[in-house]
Amino acid sequence: MITGKNYIGNQLLATGNKTYKTFNPKLNIENEHTFFEASEEEIEKAVSLATEAFEVFKKVSGAKKGEFLNAIADEILNLDEILIEAYMSETGLPEGRAKGERGRTVGQLRTFADLVTEGSWVEATIDTSDLDRNPIPKQDIRKMLVPLGPVVVFGASNFPLAYSTAGGDTAAAFAAGCPVIVKSHPMHATTGELVASAISKAAQKTGMPEGVFSNLNSAGIEVGVQLVKHPKVKAVGFTGSIKGGRALFDLASQRPEPIPVFAEMGSVNPVVILPKATTLRGTEIAKTYAQSITLGAGQFCTNPGLILGIKGESLDDFIKVLSDEIVKIEPSCMLHPNIIGNYDKNKTNALQQNGLAVTAEFNNDIATNHARQTLTTVDGKTFLENKTLHEEVFGPFSMVVQCQDAKELETIINNLEGQLTGTIIAENEEIVKYNTVIEALQNRVGRIIFNGVPTGVEVCPAMLHGGPYPASTDSRFTAVGIHAIKRWVRPFSYQSWPNDLLPDELKNENPLGISRVIDSQHTYRKI
Amino acid sequence: MITGKNYIGNQLLATGNKTYKTFNPKLNIENEHTFFEASEEEIEKAVSLATEAFEVFKKVSGAKKGEFLNAIADEILNLDEILIEAYMSETGLPEGRAKGERGRTVGQLRTFADLVTEGSWVEATIDTSDLDRNPIPKQDIRKMLVPLGPVVVFGASNFPLAYSTAGGDTAAAFAAGCPVIVKSHPMHATTGELVASAISKAAQKTGMPEGVFSNLNSAGIEVGVQLVKHPKVKAVGFTGSIKGGRALFDLASQRPEPIPVFAEMGSVNPVVILPKATTLRGTEIAKTYAQSITLGAGQFCTNPGLILGIKGESLDDFIKVLSDEIVKIEPSCMLHPNIIGNYDKNKTNALQQNGLAVTAEFNNDIATNHARQTLTTVDGKTFLENKTLHEEVFGPFSMVVQCQDAKELETIINNLEGQLTGTIIAENEEIVKYNTVIEALQNRVGRIIFNGVPTGVEVCPAMLHGGPYPASTDSRFTAVGIHAIKRWVRPFSYQSWPNDLLPDELKNENPLGISRVIDSQHTYRKI
């Protein structure tokens, strides 16, 4: 069933000669299938098909796009155990996680299906004419969101389903009306090909134009570079490292026609634990955080890698409990030898910095490719002065910064880079007292959490997954939730356009019955 | 009353030693006042004040921001004749235009005042909790739009009021809650200082924090460069040339922390005239376009610089009438000797291209700094092959491209760069016949007009003023209309946040009575 080939539209091609295999980190062996890296000619063909498909796909109704998205979800479920096994063999993650992530992926697809079937997401805005106005007659102007064109999506290493081939970026782009070319993540090419087959089937079953989707294999950077530089590609979605995301952003910004890159990148997700909460609930908080730090071997973009507290007995107690708890947890397998290699390298680099102390590290024997969770501490001054300590160590690693006082805590927050999330652990009364600390944290993050954990990113309309750079390349957009669709669209205005030639969304008779703003009034009415 | 100094917050400073004067193009003499270019230290102070002001201003209520915006409008009107005279002396534009543009500027400020006073623009989105959900409890998440931080606005040469100091960018940024530092346009520094004084007065009268606004004089590029590279500046608005806008975009993209640049740049605003309409209404269309091409000496970003038709007798007749009509119009003074210098240079450059013929040029005596309107023709093949002919000639210049057939017309459109507007002059029945031509045009533009002219950009919710690059650097945003506010904001999520500490927009009791989306339902209700 697995061919190792590239989906160029509905065709499976392997005209190139570079090949690679994926790796089973749990068994520490290569997986069986050989994948053919997409050739220049295949890339060209995928983009060309996507460009042609765009002219058709952009006019496909919301209801039909909804059918397509639901069909993808159905076909993914039809892959059943084959998909779950491939996922597990390429990630070392357990079955529960595989099924959970599949559920999330299918759920996202259906959420976007509902959104476009209902149709009001296009923000239809109508200003009717007043041709008797003096001195200049007012023309009829109508605006709605329209798709940008072919989009390239880079699969994420840590979410082979939910943020890869048919993940959030792809679902949002299809919903918007953009053809998608996926640059498959090399660590899970089998999973990628299976999901690609599901999308291809769904596209054919629901009558989508060929080229609405392609899936390109690649273990190097060339395929991605060629795609991002291609003049017919109009936007890019990426989830991964700051280095990778920034490189794509730079490429895209330097094109003759710059294009938007939405890259969701690194984050240490600072957690501020305030003194009274630490005193009253330190043990409970420590237990919760031991779980959050090690969840999925810490391979989440919202993993709490930095805990900021104020020096004192209660913080010492918290650190002690957290240290005790964290080593009790059974280590997990990481996604790939390269990932654990980076984890060890980045951890070693951090530990070589003056003033960073290890307070807990899992020291018993562990299986190959499993990560030793590690808790470290450092004082505020040292942390503030050494930017190396601000860098993410992707994996089950966290650092407790012991600040001198609230002022130093605030200074540290003001010196952090942009983050996906910030968390405040506090008693209610502390919020007023530490008001400026909390304000500072809000400036640095995309989502702020009260007395919770940053892991667990709910797919809901109010979710903001993104944040000031380098959490993402454009803080004005989210990567999770229905508003992720806004990354792939632009507003478009029709002036004095004949009613029967307008898109349904803007016609007088409102045939889709969508919510619109007419002469500044929200309404579902006809004109 | 005019000091020539920089407004650094409410202080007038002139610590630098570079000076310059503005120019009266109508009288062809320098104006009287000397302006002091902002020094590095003044720039630093303006940014530092803006950064401090942001912490206060971002929490100012919509109603108070509305008062501020309305007060700016009032203070601008209070400047009365002094402002109109300064405007005329620095632009060569007539009184009617000065007053019209003042009206537009005041109108924009009041529109944004209404928008933020009402308050629903923040797109408050609430997903309530379901703590009994299995396997993972659902947390309460609430999202709204929040301001980005200090914004730098570059004034436009061609709209000293409506797209400069207190123009659309500034009004939208204040409405969003962002302090604004204006890099004053050197051609109208007097007008700029007067408007700056109005903003400063309004800020003090309505209790806004110092630093919410600064106005920096500059005749070179250094001030702008320093501002855009400043780490505490969070976004940039610009209206002007492709060269200038792209340079700022590149600077901003190459920063360690890239920031969004919204630049509204060049456009030739293609007008497609279809055969039947040309036959039936050629004379009337030609008369209308003679006016549109020469309006305000062609110094509008939506000036129709390119007319695309299909070869034939009716197009010949159209060209003849347009030629006759265009030379009947009295030439106007351009904004500045540099602008007319560029007009002459770019026109000469175009006319040196093989195959471009002049069919009409105003050849009688004209006053100094007045522009000779010029109409040219070229055949489709020549136009297609020579990209120099695609470039904007800013001024009362237009080019009629005589295409061989509909196919060549479509190819030409597909090879145009991104444009602010595209116009179709057609009989209704031609829309179906030339369907693919119209589709092609839609892909290249931000606003499409049926049987009208592109000049005249209505300030209304449905307006999209922007478009694919290089019409603007980010086609996902508009420069005109209430949605221009979205350039200066980012979504922000609160998770499990205590109700009384949430911003009013997100509180259960909906104290502002705004429209919100609660659990996916549009509503004005309390929770």
Side-chain angles (χ1 to χ4, degrees), chain B residues 364-386:
Chain B
N364 296 340
D365 287 348
I366 52 172
T368 318
N369 298 323
H370 281 51
R372 293 180 190 281
Q373 58 268 31
T374 305
L375 185 72
T376 60
T377 58
V378 67
D379 69 75
K381 187 162 176 287
T382 307
F383 180 80
L384 201 50
E385 287 169 357
N386 187 347

Side-chain angles (χ1 to χ4, degrees), chain A residues 127 445 447 462 490 493 495, chain B residues 127 445 447 462 490 493 495:
Chain A
D127 292 305
V445 308
R447 172 168 58 110
R490 62 183 178 108
S493 288
Q495 183 169 321
Chain B
D127 292 303
V445 309
R447 173 168 56 110
R490 64 183 175 107
S493 288
Q495 182 170 320

Side-chain angles (χ1 to χ4, degrees), chain A residues 411-422:
Chain A
T411 308
I412 285 174
I413 293 170
N414 281 324
N415 281 278
L416 291 177
E417 292 197 299
Q419 306 287 341
L420 292 170
T421 72

Side-chain angles (χ1 to χ4, degrees), chain A residues 458 460 462-463, chain B residues 125-127 139-142 493-495:
Chain A
E458 184 77 26
C460 64
M463 175 54 65
Chain B
T125 308
I126 297 174
D127 292 303
Q139 304 296 329
D140 180 289
I141 305 186
R142 302 177 184 219
S493 288
Y494 295 85
Q495 182 170 320

Side-chain angles (χ1 to χ4, degrees), chain A residues 8-29:
Chain A
I8 309 299
N10 300 326
Q11 246 190 313
L12 277 163
L13 293 181
T15 62
N17 45 27
K18 282 193 223 167
T19 62
Y20 62 96
K21 291 185 169 216
T22 63
F23 196 87
N24 186 321
K26 217 150 194 171
L27 304 181
N28 204 37
I29 53 165

Side-chain angles (χ1 to χ4, degrees), chain B residues 481-499:
Chain B
I482 51 170
H483 295 147
I485 200 171
K486 294 189 185 175
R487 295 173 292 166
W488 319 124
V489 292
R490 64 183 175 107
F492 185 87
S493 288
Y494 295 85
Q495 182 170 320
S496 312
W497 208 251
N499 184 61

